[in-house]
Amino acid sequence: MVRTGLDSGSASGYEAEARAFGELAMTPQSAALRSLFFASTALKKERGGNAQPHALHRIGILGGGLMGGGIACVTATRGGLPVRIKDVNETGINHALKYSWDVLSKRVRSKRMRPAERQKQMMLISGSTDYSGFDQVDVVIEAVFEDLSLKQQMVAEIEQHAAPHTIFASNTSSLPIGQIAAKAQRPEQVIGLHYFSPVDKMPLVEVIPHATTSEETIATTVALAHKQGKTAIVVADRAGFYVNRILAPYINEAARCLLEGEPIESLDKALVDFGFPVGPITLLDEVGIDVGTKISPVLVEQLGPRFAAPAAFDAVLKDGRKGRKNGRGFYLYPSEGQQRQRHKRADTSVYILLGITPKSHLQQAVIAQRCVMMMLNEAARCLDEGVIRSARDGDIGAVFGIGFPPFLGGPFRYMDQLGVEKVVKTLEYLQRQHGEYFAPCERLQRMAQQGERFYPQGS
C-alpha cells in the first residue's frame, strides 16, 4: 500500500488501503476478534445475578503469598479500595506489600506514575497478624493453602470476627465451594472467586456460587471483580470449575506426547505456533507442577479416569520439581546471581526421570490437534452440564484464562468455524488411534447429527 501510494499517488494509496482493510475485516480472524470484544464489553455490564450488589468500602485478604499479594494489589491500585491483609506472620504481610510496591515502582520507573501517587496507593494496603480491622470489611478473599479443613476454619473465624454482612470469597482452584461452606453459619454469603496467576496481568476471574449462595452475594462479588479491572464469568461449583477443567485434558495430552518421546521444546513450539502464548509444558512450570497434581485427583474422583495424568509423571514431583517457583521443573532456571538465558532450555534430566529418549517424530500439526481437540471436547461437555452459562462465557474463559488463540475466538467459535461434524470425525479418528479418552461427548455427536452450531450463522 505504501509502495502504491509512492508510485501512483496518494489517491491510489488510499484506495489500496481501503480495499486491503475491507479484505481483512471480512476474514474469520476479524470476526472472531470482534466477537470477543463485544462479549467482554457485554460481560462488564452484567451483574452475574438478578440482585443489586452491596456497596464496597473495604476488602480483607487472608494470606500474604503470591496470590494474596496480587489480589491486594489489583484491589487497591485498580479498585481504589482499602485492603486489610491477615497472615500468620509479618513476613507474609511484607511479601504482599512488596508485590504492590514492585508493580507500582515499575510504573514510576517508566514515568507513568509519580512517586507521590505510588505512596498514596500503598497507603491503601495495611496488614496484621490478627483480625483487627476485619469488623469493617465488606468482602474477605481467602488465599491460603489448598486444605479443606483450613478453609472451613477461615470461614468460621471470619464469621466470628467480621461484620454480619461480610462475604467470604475463596480463591480455591480445586476444592468444592459447597464443602468450604458446609459448616458456615451464613452459607449464603460464601462464594468462590478464582483468580489466575499472575493476578495483576491475567484478566479473568471465575465467580463460583454453590447451591445456596445468594443472588446478592453473586452480584457483589462480580461488582468487586469489575472494580479490580477483571472480566468475570459465573461458573458452576463442579470439579475444576471451567478453566482448570478444560486445561487438564490439554496438558495431559501434551504429557502423553512427551512420554512418546517428543522433546519438551518441540511440544511447546507446536502449541505456540498454533496460537497459544506459551506451550503446555511451559504453562505447567509456570502454574506449578504441584498445583496440577492437587487438581488432578479431584477431577478424577468426580469426573472419571479421562482426567488421570500419566502415572509416569509422579516421578517428576517426587524429584522435588515444582516448576519456576522453586527453580526446578521441565526447564532450566538460573539460580540467584546467574545470568538469565535468552532462550529457555529444557532440563534434559527430566527425560532420564521419565525413562524416555527424546526424538522429534510427531508433526507439529498433529501435536496441536491432539491437545486442542481434548480441550474442545471438554468445553462442549461443560456447556452441556451447565458448568458455564453460555458458549460466549466459555470462549471468554478460555481466551482470557488460558490464552486460547484470540484470533480463533475461543473453543466454541473455533468449533463453529471448523464445523461440529468435522470436530466429531477428528475426535473419532483420534479415539481409534490413541484411546477412549478422545471419544466425542454426547453434545457434539447430537449437534453433528442435527447440523447445529454454537452461535447463530453470521453472528
Side-chain angles (χ1 to χ4, degrees):
M1 290 179 288
V2 174
R3 173 57 61 190
T4 301
L6 290 171
D7 291 346
S8 306
S10 59
S12 297
Y14 293 143
E15 184 183 344
E17 182 181 32
R19 187 165 53 250
F21 178 83
E23 290 170 1
L24 282 173
M26 298 308 293
T27 61
Q29 291 82 2
S30 172
L33 292 168
R34 279 184 275 118
S35 73
L36 286 174
F37 170 78
F38 289 120
S40 60
T41 302
L43 272 170
K44 288 171 186 173
K45 297 176 183 176
E46 294 179 7
R47 294 198 297 263
N50 298 320
Q52 287 289 335
H54 294 305
L56 294 165
H57 302 291
R58 293 177 181 82
I59 305 299
I61 292 173
L62 302 179
L66 186 65
M67 294 302 292
I71 297 165
C73 178
V74 296
T75 305
T77 63
R78 295 179 190 169
L81 294 167
V83 178
R84 186 71 166 172
I85 302 166
K86 181 191 179 295
D87 200 276
V88 292
N89 56 54
E90 291 182 358
T91 304
I93 296 166
N94 289 334
H95 277 310
L97 290 168
K98 186 177 184 299
Y99 190 113
S100 291
W101 178 264
D102 289 345
V103 169
L104 295 175
S105 294
K106 192 174 180 182
R107 295 182 198 170
V108 171
R109 286 193 299 272
S110 62
K111 310 294 184 185
R112 289 182 294 151
M113 176 180 282
R114 294 178 181 275
E117 180 62 24
R118 174 179 61 187
Q119 196 61 33
K120 182 181 175 182
Q121 292 194 16
M122 285 300 301
M123 288 175 68
L124 289 170
I125 308 173
S126 62
S128 174
T129 55
D130 58 27
Y131 284 104
S132 58
F134 272 72
D135 57 337
Q136 299 179 40
V137 303
D138 302 299
V139 178
V140 171
I141 303 169
E142 166 271 303
V144 300
F145 298 114
E146 286 288 274
D147 179 88
L148 179 60
S149 59
L150 176 60
K151 291 179 187 288
Q152 288 176 336
Q153 179 188 333
M154 295 295 100
V155 173
E157 290 181 7
I158 289 302
E159 288 184 327
Q160 179 184 348
H161 294 284
H165 73 275
T166 301
I167 290 169
F168 184 96
S170 175
N171 181 47
T172 181
S173 57
S174 60
L175 298 172
I177 307 303
Q179 290 183 24
I180 293 171
K183 299 179 181 179
Q185 295 173 19
R186 297 185 287 272
E188 70 278 3
Q189 290 168 215
V190 178
I191 195 167
L193 185 57
H194 181 213
Y195 295 83
F196 298 85
S197 184
V199 179
D200 61 301
K201 293 179 181 175
M202 296 297 285
L204 185 79
V205 291
E206 292 178 307
V207 175
I208 312 115
H210 64 93
T212 60
T213 300
S214 70
E215 290 289 316
E216 291 82 5
T217 297
I218 298 171
T220 305
T221 306
V222 170
L224 172 59
H226 290 166
K227 277 184 173 290
Q228 294 169 332
K230 300 294 183 183
T231 299
I233 58 170
V234 179
V235 303
D237 186 19
R238 298 286 304 274
F241 312 133
Y242 173 65
V243 171
N244 282 338
R245 177 166 166 181
I246 66 170
L247 182 62
Y250 165 84
I251 289 181
N252 282 347
E253 192 55 29
R256 292 187 191 99
C257 291
L258 175 57
L259 291 173
E260 289 173 23
E262 195 65 25
I264 292 167
E265 295 99 331
S266 176
L267 290 169
D268 278 345
K269 184 179 184 302
L271 275 304
V272 169
D273 287 351
F274 182 81
F276 284 89
V278 297
I281 308 299
T282 295
L283 183 61
L284 191 54
D285 260 9
E286 293 291 338
V287 170
I289 300 166
D290 56 325
V291 173
T293 56
K294 285 178 183 174
I295 296 170
S296 184
V298 176
L299 292 168
V300 172
E301 181 187 348
Q302 296 192 32
L303 298 171
R306 71 177 184 276
F307 283 95
F313 263 53
D314 291 344
V316 176
L317 197 62
K318 286 176 182 175
D319 194 46
R321 296 171 187 262
K322 296 183 179 180
R324 178 183 283 279
K325 61 181 160 188
N326 77 336
R328 299 190 68 228
F330 291 95
Y331 282 92
L332 293 169
Y333 298 96
S335 56
E336 198 169 332
Q338 280 187 324
Q339 191 175 356
R340 282 186 68 179
Q341 299 287 330
R342 188 174 178 183
H343 299 289
K344 283 198 306 181
R345 290 186 295 117
D347 186 345
T348 54
S349 63
V350 171
Y351 300 130
I352 299 169
L353 269 178
L354 297 174
I356 58 176
T357 303
K359 183 182 179 182
S360 293
H361 64 288
L362 296 173
Q363 292 181 9
Q364 300 281 281
V366 170
I367 296 169
Q369 182 187 65
R370 286 172 59 175
C371 295
V372 171
M373 281 294 156
M374 290 293 285
M375 183 181 286
L376 300 183
N377 202 18
E378 203 58 44
R381 280 196 185 94
C382 287
L383 182 61
D384 198 37
E385 295 171 14
V387 173
I388 47 175
R389 293 178 170 183
S390 64
R392 177 204 68 177
D393 289 5
D395 282 341
I396 287 289
V399 173
F400 288 7
I402 297 171
F404 191 93
F407 57 83
L408 296 177
F412 297 97
R413 284 273 177 197
Y414 184 48
M415 284 190 277
D416 275 356
Q417 183 184 326
L418 291 173
V420 175
E421 186 177 358
K422 182 178 178 180
V423 172
V424 169
K425 286 181 178 178
T426 303
L427 285 165
E428 288 172 341
Y429 168 76
L430 292 170
Q431 180 185 3
R432 292 191 296 272
Q433 293 287 314
H434 302 288
E436 285 303 309
Y437 52 85
F438 272 108
C441 68
E442 289 181 14
R443 172 70 176 257
L444 287 178
Q445 292 185 55
R446 186 171 65 250
M447 289 179 69
Q449 289 168 2
Q450 297 173 3
E452 294 177 348
R453 298 167 52 88
F454 291 103
Y455 290 95
Q457 185 79 41
S459 67

